[in-house]
Amino acid sequence: MSANQTVDPEEIAELIARCKLSVSVSEFHGALVGYLSAGGHFPHGSVLGALQLEPDPEPSDKEMAMLTRLRHQTEEWLADPELTFSPWLPDDDAPVPERAGGLREWVQGFLGGFGLGGSVEVNRGMSDDAKEVLQDMAGIATADFEFDADDDINDESLIELEEFVRAGAMLLHAELSRASRPANDTLH
């Protein structure tokens, strides 16, 4: 694997299964994005340690390198002016209830990671827009989705929620991640 190869959700799914992590791919990705968006840094380089996930067994060196690539890849996508970032959710052709569950898991992971990566000082200066995004995400994380008999309406509503979550994560990242990044937490 090259150092610049993109990490995909299937690779993370394999790592989650092998290391017996108690998260879904969507929740894992949400946690990483939330941690990064809140300005979390990795003093010892360990993504799993920063997210307080306890693997059993430990990831191999190859898997640890993949997690580091995923961290940098995610950071780059969140900061990309071309807006390439997208949450890892079930495929668009998956049933709507499965997609809604994946979105809820992603947002739950995001909020958990955001809490782990943030600081009181930075959060005090958070804009009203950022606070509103977090409040809305908390609502999504605890929502019991009700579905219409018309699948097109369900699909349209879900796409709107997914776009809100995507844009909200990028807004929070743009506002908070740079404000709290220490000078020695370099990106490669």
Side-chain angles (χ1 to χ4, degrees):
M1 279 189 179
S2 97
N4 294 325
Q5 185 176 5
T6 301
V7 178
D8 65 45
E10 290 79 25
E11 292 174 294
I12 296 302
E14 290 172 12
L15 173 114
I16 287 171
R18 195 185 77 70
C19 294
K20 298 178 185 97
L21 300 174
S22 58
V23 294
S24 67
V25 171
S26 292
E27 187 177 2
F28 178 85
H29 188 249
L32 177 60
V33 172
Y35 189 84
L36 291 168
S37 294
H41 59 282
F42 300 83
H44 304 293
S46 171
V47 170
L48 297 180
L51 299 179
Q52 297 186 1
L53 294 172
E54 298 176 2
D56 180 25
E58 290 291 321
S60 67
D61 289 343
K62 184 177 177 181
E63 290 168 325
M64 292 298 286
M66 176 184 62
L67 288 169
T68 299
R69 281 195 325 277
L70 176 61
R71 168 194 161 197
H72 295 300
Q73 165 188 309
T74 303
E75 179 75 19
E76 288 173 17
W77 287 351
L78 281 165
D80 184 5
E82 299 295 319
L83 307 176
T84 55
F85 169 74
S86 185
W88 284 359
L89 302 171
D91 290 332
D92 290 343
D93 58 351
V96 170
E98 181 182 329
R99 289 175 49 211
L103 178 62
R104 184 177 31 248
E105 289 174 357
W106 193 93
V107 173
Q108 289 168 343
F110 179 90
L111 294 172
F114 192 87
L116 291 171
S119 71
V120 174
E121 299 80 29
V122 171
N123 291 349
R124 280 191 189 129
M126 192 182 309
S127 71
D128 288 342
D129 287 344
K131 290 175 187 175
E132 187 175 335
V133 166
L134 285 173
Q135 289 172 344
D136 290 346
M137 282 190 173
I140 293 168
T142 59
D144 286 326
F145 292 104
E146 293 183 19
F147 302 104
D148 194 271
D150 185 343
D151 282 339
D152 289 338
I153 291 173
N154 293 331
D155 190 57
E156 192 175 303
S157 297
L158 194 54
I159 288 170
E160 287 177 19
L161 278 176
E162 290 170 354
E163 180 56 25
F164 169 80
V165 166
R166 183 181 85 81
M170 289 187 301
L171 178 139
L172 290 165
H173 179 265
E175 182 173 319
L176 300 174
S177 70
R178 306 228 183 317
S180 65
R181 185 166 308 285
N184 64 352
D185 190 27
T186 58
L187 293 177
H188 301 276

